Amino acid sequence: CMERYRKKCQERHRQKLRDMKCSIDNRSPRQATHLRTKAKKNALMEDRIDQIETENRILLEKMSHIMKYKGGIANKNEGIKYGHSLNKERRKRELQRITKQNRQILQRIQESQPTYNHLEWEEEAKTS
């Protein structure tokens, strides 16, 4: 009877060893959900994409404006403060005065007789 009891205890012990689970958790720790989603990085990326799309839209509008107006460069400043000059008339009169003086000087030069005779110089160069 003792022998049977001992065998039964041994068998129960073996069964417990087979069914035994480890008491130490060897799995990797669970990752926090806020670290997995990376909300801050995604928000920054969305802001950057929105900024790029806005800049692209502005460039497209500028290009269409250029194409609409015969492909020329729109470098004219149409602002009110650049629309007029305070001394435009004075500069225009000054330019006309200078042009008139230049014409008079040109006319005097064309009408004057030369003081040196190049033909005489050539004769002197041949004889000497």
Side-chain angles (χ1 to χ4, degrees), residues 4 8 12-13 15 25 36 46 55 66 68 82 94 105 118 122 126:
R4 246 187 311 158
K8 195 175 190 181
R12 194 180 315 141
H13 180 67
Q15 184 65 34
D25 185 12
R36 250 186 286 144
E46 279 187 36
E55 290 173 358
I66 289 170
K68 187 177 180 181
Y82 298 107
E94 181 70 15
I105 291 171
H118 69 280
E122 289 175 3
K126 286 181 184 177

Short mmCIF file of all heavy atoms in Angstrom, two decimals, residues 4 8 12-13 15 25 36 46 55 66 68 82 94 105 118 122 126:
data_model
loop_
_atom_site.label_atom_id
_atom_site.label_comp_id
_atom_site.label_asym_id
_atom_site.label_seq_id
_atom_site.Cartn_x
_atom_site.Cartn_y
_atom_site.Cartn_z
N ARG A 4 2.21 1.92 -3.54
CA ARG A 4 1.25 2.56 -4.42
C ARG A 4 1.12 4.04 -4.12
O ARG A 4 1.04 4.86 -5.01
CB ARG A 4 -0.13 1.89 -4.24
CG ARG A 4 -0.57 1.17 -5.43
CD ARG A 4 -1.96 0.65 -5.34
NE ARG A 4 -2.20 -0.07 -4.10
CZ ARG A 4 -3.39 -0.27 -3.58
NH1 ARG A 4 -4.45 0.18 -4.19
NH2 ARG A 4 -3.53 -0.91 -2.46
N LYS A 8 1.94 7.04 -6.67
CA LYS A 8 0.89 8.01 -6.95
C LYS A 8 1.42 9.44 -6.69
O LYS A 8 1.17 10.36 -7.47
CB LYS A 8 -0.32 7.71 -6.06
CG LYS A 8 -1.57 8.38 -6.48
CD LYS A 8 -2.69 7.90 -5.60
CE LYS A 8 -4.00 8.36 -6.11
NZ LYS A 8 -5.12 7.96 -5.28
N ARG A 12 1.85 12.32 -9.49
CA ARG A 12 1.25 13.64 -9.30
C ARG A 12 2.33 14.73 -9.40
O ARG A 12 2.12 15.77 -10.00
CB ARG A 12 0.56 13.69 -7.94
CG ARG A 12 -0.35 14.87 -7.81
CD ARG A 12 -1.05 14.97 -6.47
NE ARG A 12 -1.60 13.71 -6.01
CZ ARG A 12 -1.59 13.28 -4.74
NH1 ARG A 12 -1.07 14.03 -3.80
NH2 ARG A 12 -2.11 12.12 -4.40
N HIS A 13 3.50 14.44 -8.83
CA HIS A 13 4.62 15.39 -8.90
C HIS A 13 5.06 15.61 -10.34
O HIS A 13 5.27 16.76 -10.76
CB HIS A 13 5.77 14.87 -8.03
CG HIS A 13 6.97 15.75 -8.02
ND1 HIS A 13 6.99 17.00 -7.47
CD2 HIS A 13 8.21 15.58 -8.55
CE1 HIS A 13 8.16 17.55 -7.63
NE2 HIS A 13 8.94 16.69 -8.29
N GLN A 15 3.27 15.20 -13.01
CA GLN A 15 2.18 15.91 -13.69
C GLN A 15 2.25 17.41 -13.36
O GLN A 15 2.08 18.26 -14.25
CB GLN A 15 0.83 15.32 -13.26
CG GLN A 15 -0.36 15.91 -13.98
CD GLN A 15 -0.34 15.60 -15.49
OE1 GLN A 15 0.13 14.53 -15.90
NE2 GLN A 15 -0.82 16.53 -16.28
N ASP A 25 8.22 36.75 -15.87
CA ASP A 25 7.67 37.25 -17.14
C ASP A 25 8.83 37.67 -18.04
O ASP A 25 9.51 38.66 -17.77
CB ASP A 25 6.74 38.42 -16.88
CG ASP A 25 6.04 38.89 -18.14
OD1 ASP A 25 6.10 38.17 -19.16
OD2 ASP A 25 5.45 39.99 -18.11
N ARG A 36 3.42 55.18 -29.36
CA ARG A 36 3.22 54.52 -30.65
C ARG A 36 2.64 55.46 -31.69
O ARG A 36 3.01 55.43 -32.86
CB ARG A 36 2.30 53.31 -30.48
CG ARG A 36 3.01 52.01 -30.65
CD ARG A 36 2.09 50.83 -30.63
NE ARG A 36 1.63 50.60 -29.26
CZ ARG A 36 0.42 50.20 -28.94
NH1 ARG A 36 -0.47 49.96 -29.86
NH2 ARG A 36 0.08 50.03 -27.69
N GLU A 46 1.83 67.57 -40.46
CA GLU A 46 0.62 68.13 -41.09
C GLU A 46 0.75 69.63 -41.28
O GLU A 46 0.38 70.17 -42.32
CB GLU A 46 -0.61 67.81 -40.23
CG GLU A 46 -1.14 66.42 -40.43
CD GLU A 46 -2.45 66.21 -39.69
OE1 GLU A 46 -3.26 67.17 -39.62
OE2 GLU A 46 -2.65 65.10 -39.20
N GLU A 55 2.15 77.63 -49.97
CA GLU A 55 3.19 78.26 -50.80
C GLU A 55 3.04 77.84 -52.26
O GLU A 55 3.20 78.66 -53.17
CB GLU A 55 4.57 77.90 -50.27
CG GLU A 55 4.89 78.55 -48.94
CD GLU A 55 6.19 78.06 -48.33
OE1 GLU A 55 6.84 77.17 -48.92
OE2 GLU A 55 6.56 78.58 -47.27
N ILE A 66 1.28 85.58 -64.57
CA ILE A 66 2.31 85.86 -65.58
C ILE A 66 1.86 85.33 -66.95
O ILE A 66 1.97 86.02 -67.97
CB ILE A 66 3.66 85.24 -65.16
CG1 ILE A 66 4.23 86.02 -63.98
CG2 ILE A 66 4.65 85.26 -66.32
CD1 ILE A 66 5.44 85.36 -63.34
N LYS A 68 -1.14 84.80 -67.95
CA LYS A 68 -2.33 85.52 -68.40
C LYS A 68 -1.96 86.82 -69.09
O LYS A 68 -2.58 87.24 -70.05
CB LYS A 68 -3.22 85.79 -67.18
CG LYS A 68 -4.56 86.39 -67.50
CD LYS A 68 -5.37 86.53 -66.22
CE LYS A 68 -6.72 87.12 -66.49
NZ LYS A 68 -7.49 87.29 -65.24
N TYR A 82 4.47 105.12 -55.48
CA TYR A 82 5.44 105.14 -56.57
C TYR A 82 4.84 105.69 -57.86
O TYR A 82 5.49 105.73 -58.88
CB TYR A 82 5.97 103.74 -56.83
CG TYR A 82 6.69 103.16 -55.65
CD1 TYR A 82 6.12 102.15 -54.89
CD2 TYR A 82 7.94 103.63 -55.28
CE1 TYR A 82 6.78 101.62 -53.80
CE2 TYR A 82 8.61 103.11 -54.18
CZ TYR A 82 8.02 102.11 -53.45
OH TYR A 82 8.67 101.60 -52.38
N GLU A 94 15.43 120.03 -67.28
CA GLU A 94 16.89 119.97 -67.24
C GLU A 94 17.43 119.12 -68.38
O GLU A 94 18.41 119.48 -69.05
CB GLU A 94 17.34 119.39 -65.88
CG GLU A 94 18.82 119.30 -65.69
CD GLU A 94 19.49 120.66 -65.54
OE1 GLU A 94 18.79 121.68 -65.29
OE2 GLU A 94 20.72 120.72 -65.67
N ILE A 105 26.42 122.77 -79.44
CA ILE A 105 27.86 122.47 -79.49
C ILE A 105 28.19 121.65 -80.73
O ILE A 105 29.17 121.92 -81.44
CB ILE A 105 28.30 121.72 -78.21
CG1 ILE A 105 28.22 122.66 -77.00
CG2 ILE A 105 29.71 121.17 -78.34
CD1 ILE A 105 28.43 121.96 -75.67
N HIS A 118 45.66 118.56 -92.73
CA HIS A 118 46.32 117.25 -92.74
C HIS A 118 47.06 117.00 -94.05
O HIS A 118 48.02 116.25 -94.10
CB HIS A 118 45.32 116.13 -92.44
CG HIS A 118 44.32 115.90 -93.52
ND1 HIS A 118 43.21 116.68 -93.70
CD2 HIS A 118 44.28 114.96 -94.49
CE1 HIS A 118 42.50 116.24 -94.71
NE2 HIS A 118 43.14 115.19 -95.23
N GLU A 122 51.00 115.78 -94.46
CA GLU A 122 51.45 114.64 -95.26
C GLU A 122 52.58 115.07 -96.20
O GLU A 122 53.55 114.33 -96.40
CB GLU A 122 50.29 114.06 -96.05
CG GLU A 122 49.28 113.33 -95.18
CD GLU A 122 48.07 112.87 -95.96
OE1 GLU A 122 48.01 113.05 -97.19
OE2 GLU A 122 47.14 112.31 -95.32
N LYS A 126 56.52 113.69 -96.21
CA LYS A 126 57.17 113.09 -97.37
C LYS A 126 58.52 113.78 -97.66
O LYS A 126 59.49 113.13 -98.02
CB LYS A 126 56.27 113.22 -98.62
CG LYS A 126 55.10 112.27 -98.61
CD LYS A 126 54.28 112.43 -99.86
CE LYS A 126 53.05 111.56 -99.84
NZ LYS A 126 52.22 111.78 -101.03
#
